[in-house]
Amino acid sequence: MAAELELHGVNLHFGGVTVLNNVGFTVSAGQIFGLVGPNGAGKTSLFNCISGHYRPQSGTITIDGENVAQVPPARMAAHGLARTFQHPALQLQRSVLENVMLGAHSRMSGNPLTWALRGPGARKSEAAVRAEALTILDRNDLAWAAERSAGELSHGLHKSVELCRALMMHPKLLLLDEPAAGLPHSEVEALIATVKRLRAHEDVTVVIVEHHMGLIGALTDAVVVLDHGSKLMEGTAAEAQADPRVIEAYIGKADDSAA
Ligand SMILES: Nc1ncnc2c1ncn2[C@@H]1O[C@H](COP(=O)(O)OP(=O)(O)OP(=O)(O)O)[C@@H](O)[C@H]1O
Ligand SMILES: [Mg+2]
């Protein structure tokens, strides 16, 4: 079942620096939700709070009503969470297939190397995981890359492999941090098709951080705009793009970087 995500009054500081200021919003089960805002707005930090990598000083983060704000990252898979990272972290020496299989580690103990050394039960589940990883790679047009080492692939393909690895976790809530960054136009179209297929065939709630407004407009039911750690507005992607406060936030940022 797709999960509902609810945030209330989330505050995050590093030393004297306020990174998130009283952030709250609700993502309904099954929605595709956008989190947008200029560089440094706090989008990745908010994902890190949801995934347990950062602990907010105050506020609640609930997944299907359970407060997960202080749950460590390794335990978040049990709450149905999977995520991808703005800067993908793959095992570059290992094959693409093994990287995707690692997504199942929340469901199995050990890793692809130790699975091979265990008894028949482990070998059977390893075979099932391998078959599923191949199916997921195939659905994402990556079957050809299964036996390549991850280090051979382009940055854009690393993002796709990370998405496949996240899908191996059977998430109820999937967080994607800038999945389109660095992708050529044709691959952005393919990514949009992939996320639409997720909506049609998998029971999952998706939150996407993205600067690519074409992708946000094509995919999301609703968006929240963050600026300097605070929620600026909430509405549809079209409403956000037309909102003078949002335009000002982006122009202000452009002025900052020009200065
Ligand atoms: N671990 C940390 N220690 C100190 N400051 C941090 C830490 N993590 C994030 N920040 C600060 O929090 C602010 C928000 O950063 P964050 O990476 O969340 O922004 P973002 O919205 O994801 O930006 P971008 O679009 O560039 O990815 C920045 O000023 C950043 O320096
Ligand atoms: Mg970021």
Side-chain angles (χ1 to χ4, degrees):
M1 277 293 288
E4 181 185 73
L5 171 69
E6 222 174 328
L7 293 92
H8 281 292
V10 173
N11 287 293
L12 177 73
H13 312 279
F14 286 107
V17 179
T18 298
V19 173
L20 294 170
N21 176 25
N22 198 29
V23 176
F25 57 85
T26 299
V27 183
S28 307
Q31 269 191 327
I32 299 183
F33 195 90
L35 185 59
V36 302
N39 293 120
K43 307 177 296 295
T44 297
S45 297
L46 189 60
F47 269 13
N48 285 341
C49 289
I50 298 170
S51 65
H53 291 86
Y54 287 174
R55 291 188 175 200
Q57 276 78 13
S58 57
T60 59
I61 299 173
T62 64
I63 296 180
D64 284 339
E66 241 184 296
N67 191 8
V68 296
Q70 304 299 326
V71 174
R75 299 240 317 273
M76 286 307 295
H79 292 272
L81 182 94
R83 69 174 291 188
T84 64
F85 292 86
Q86 186 166 355
H87 304 290
L90 297 180
Q91 307 265 334
L92 297 180
Q93 308 302 325
R94 288 195 179 178
S95 73
V96 166
L97 179 62
E98 282 179 328
N99 271 279
V100 175
M101 288 171 71
L102 282 172
H105 86 274
S106 56
R107 296 187 279 130
M108 296 175 69
S109 57
N111 62 57
L113 298 176
T114 59
W115 296 338
L117 301 173
R118 295 235 194 96
R123 276 201 291 277
K124 197 169 157 205
S125 54
E126 193 243 347
V129 166
R130 178 177 292 269
E132 185 184 353
L134 279 169
T135 303
I136 290 177
L137 282 167
D138 189 39
R139 256 188 235 142
N140 290 282
D141 299 325
L142 279 169
W144 62 270
E147 299 303 334
R148 304 277 178 99
S149 68
E152 287 176 59
L153 267 54
S154 70
H155 172 74
L157 289 176
H158 282 188
K159 297 220 146 195
S160 307
V161 174
E162 249 208 332
L163 177 57
C164 292
R165 183 176 64 185
L167 293 175
M168 276 302 282
M169 297 171 75
H170 301 172
K172 298 189 295 179
L173 174 63
L174 177 61
L175 310 180
L176 304 177
D177 197 347
E178 300 204 22
L183 297 191
H185 182 71
S186 59
E187 288 180 25
V188 175
E189 291 301 316
L191 175 66
I192 290 173
T194 298
V195 179
K196 283 186 173 165
R197 199 168 55 233
L198 283 183
R199 184 211 281 280
H201 299 295
E202 315 265 344
D203 203 6
V204 62
T205 305
V206 184
V207 185
I208 307 178
V209 164
E210 195 38 81
H211 290 290
H212 193 298
M213 287 311 288
L215 179 142
I216 290 289
L219 286 177
T220 59
D221 302 302
V223 302
V224 153
V225 184
L226 283 184
D227 184 34
H228 294 294
S230 298
K231 184 167 98 174
L232 197 57
M233 64 85 69
E234 186 169 358
T236 63
E239 284 164 358
Q241 278 180 283
D243 191 311
R245 291 169 300 176
V246 176
I247 296 164
E248 172 65 26
Y250 276 93
I251 292 173
K253 203 69 202 173
D255 286 352
D256 288 353
S257 49

